[in-house]
Amino acid sequence: MKRLLLGALLLMAVVGVQAQNVQLHYDLGRNIYPDEEAGRPKVTMTLEGFQLDSWGSWFYFVDVDFSRKFTESAYTEIARELNLYKGSNFAAHVEYNGGLSKSGSFQQAALVGMAYNGLNPALSATYSLQLMYKRYFKSYDYTSAYHSMQLTGVWNLPIKKFAFTGFIDLWRGEKTNHHGQLVLLAEPQFWYSINKHLSVGSECEISSNFIYNTYNDKSFFVNPTLALKWKF
């Protein structure tokens, strides 16, 4: 749920020049890791939106995590791509990441870089590769502002009523002692379209050094979901 940044060509191929969808995910992570992820929210709602214009495209999403009693957090990413020239696969990419949680806020970050958006006509598959400079901003006393780089790959493969979509992010993060570490986050999604609006499927969050775990030294997690998606 963290991110499904498809880019202009991906979304044009799948849903046209404008699109919006809402997803509801039931997260199984707390059942798989009852000790390390005892506080992981079980329900997440994701709202995604995309719009294409003569300059390029806009994309955003908002993830809202729920518990039985509270709205635990709301995390958002918004991105703007500007085509380098008409017909080019390359685009300039600018992005903001941030949000609020019940206990405070997420550490904000700004990204700027380049994207290459491609299409494989034989498979009706679309893909995007993005290389970006990432700047984290200081939020609380235990955080610090620092420089980073992020490499992102995104794909969409439709097969009749099925679709295999997702992304993978690699970036430089910081440990609590401010030493650097490589962070991996991938979220492949599998969908089956019941009709033009409703799909059922699953997302599998695969991560390394992404989840904050104070129970033991485990840093690699696989968290699947059961999901519904409604396209407007």
Side-chain angles (χ1 to χ4, degrees), residues 201-214:
S202 175
E203 175 183 271
C204 190
E205 181 190 273
I206 304 166
S207 68
S208 177
N209 294 323
F210 176 69
I211 293 173
Y212 184 65
N213 172 25
T214 59

Side-chain angles (χ1 to χ4, degrees), residues 211-231:
I211 293 173
Y212 184 65
N213 172 25
T214 59
Y215 183 79
N216 55 28
D217 295 330
K218 183 176 177 60
S219 60
F220 181 82
F221 293 87
V222 178
N223 293 298
T225 74
L226 300 175
L228 295 172
K229 177 167 66 173
W230 182 267
K231 295 179 182 177

Side-chain angles (χ1 to χ4, degrees), residues 64-147:
V64 183
D65 291 326
F66 300 98
S67 65
R68 289 184 178 182
K69 296 182 179 180
F70 302 102
T71 298
E72 295 290 333
S73 65
Y75 174 82
T76 186
E77 295 185 4
I78 182 169
R80 173 65 174 170
E81 287 197 353
L82 297 172
N83 301 327
L84 295 190
Y85 56 87
K86 187 176 181 180
S88 173
N89 293 88
F90 290 95
H93 184 105
V94 181
E95 183 177 333
Y96 166 81
N97 303 168
L100 299 173
S101 69
K102 188 178 66 176
S103 59
S105 64
F106 294 91
Q107 189 170 7
Q108 298 182 100
L111 300 89
V112 59
M114 295 294 299
Y116 180 87
N117 301 312
L119 170 67
N120 184 331
L123 298 175
S124 298
T126 52
Y127 58 89
S128 179
L129 186 65
Q130 302 151 16
L131 180 62
M132 296 166 287
Y133 163 75
K134 189 173 189 177
R135 172 67 174 179
Y136 280 97
F137 301 99
K138 181 179 176 63
S139 54
Y140 300 105
D141 291 339
Y142 59 84
T143 65
S144 61
Y146 64 94
H147 305 286

Side-chain angles (χ1 to χ4, degrees), residues 11-205:
L11 286 158
M12 288 177 65
V14 179
V15 293
V17 296
Q18 297 186 63
Q20 191 173 51
N21 73 78
V22 61
Q23 303 170 23
L24 191 64
H25 292 261
Y26 182 79
D27 195 297
L28 301 173
R30 194 161 64 176
N31 302 96
I32 299 172
Y33 309 102
D35 297 318
E36 295 89 343
E37 296 190 311
R40 185 177 178 89
K42 285 193 172 184
V43 178
T44 297
M45 182 182 69
T46 298
L47 177 67
E48 291 180 338
F50 170 81
Q51 184 171 351
L52 184 70
D53 56 44
S54 59
W55 292 82
S57 64
W58 285 98
F59 176 82
Y60 75 90
F61 81 85
V62 180
D63 277 349
V64 183
D65 291 326
F66 300 98
S67 65
R68 289 184 178 182
K69 296 182 179 180
F70 302 102
T71 298
E72 295 290 333
S73 65
Y75 174 82
T76 186
E77 295 185 4
I78 182 169
R80 173 65 174 170
E81 287 197 353
L82 297 172
N83 301 327
L84 295 190
Y85 56 87
K86 187 176 181 180
S88 173
N89 293 88
F90 290 95
H93 184 105
V94 181
E95 183 177 333
Y96 166 81
N97 303 168
L100 299 173
S101 69
K102 188 178 66 176
S103 59
S105 64
F106 294 91
Q107 189 170 7
Q108 298 182 100
L111 300 89
V112 59
M114 295 294 299
Y116 180 87
N117 301 312
L119 170 67
N120 184 331
L123 298 175
S124 298
T126 52
Y127 58 89
S128 179
L129 186 65
Q130 302 151 16
L131 180 62
M132 296 166 287
Y133 163 75
K134 189 173 189 177
R135 172 67 174 179
Y136 280 97
F137 301 99
K138 181 179 176 63
S139 54
Y140 300 105
D141 291 339
Y142 59 84
T143 65
S144 61
Y146 64 94
H147 305 286
S148 179
M149 294 291 293
Q150 180 167 308
L151 178 65
T152 294
V154 188
W155 67 88
N156 178 79
L157 177 61
I159 305 173
K160 296 183 179 180
K161 282 182 169 276
F162 294 91
F164 175 45
T165 68
F167 75 89
I168 181 169
D169 286 340
L170 287 168
W171 74 92
R172 179 193 176 275
E174 276 197 356
K175 301 178 183 179
T176 54
N177 60 7
H178 304 304
H179 290 177
Q181 64 179 354
L182 180 64
V183 184
L184 176 145
L185 178 67
E187 291 185 2
Q189 293 187 345
F190 303 88
W191 297 103
Y192 173 78
S193 297
I194 296 174
N195 55 46
K196 67 177 182 179
H197 294 294
L198 181 63
S199 298
V200 296
S202 175
E203 175 183 271
C204 190
E205 181 190 273

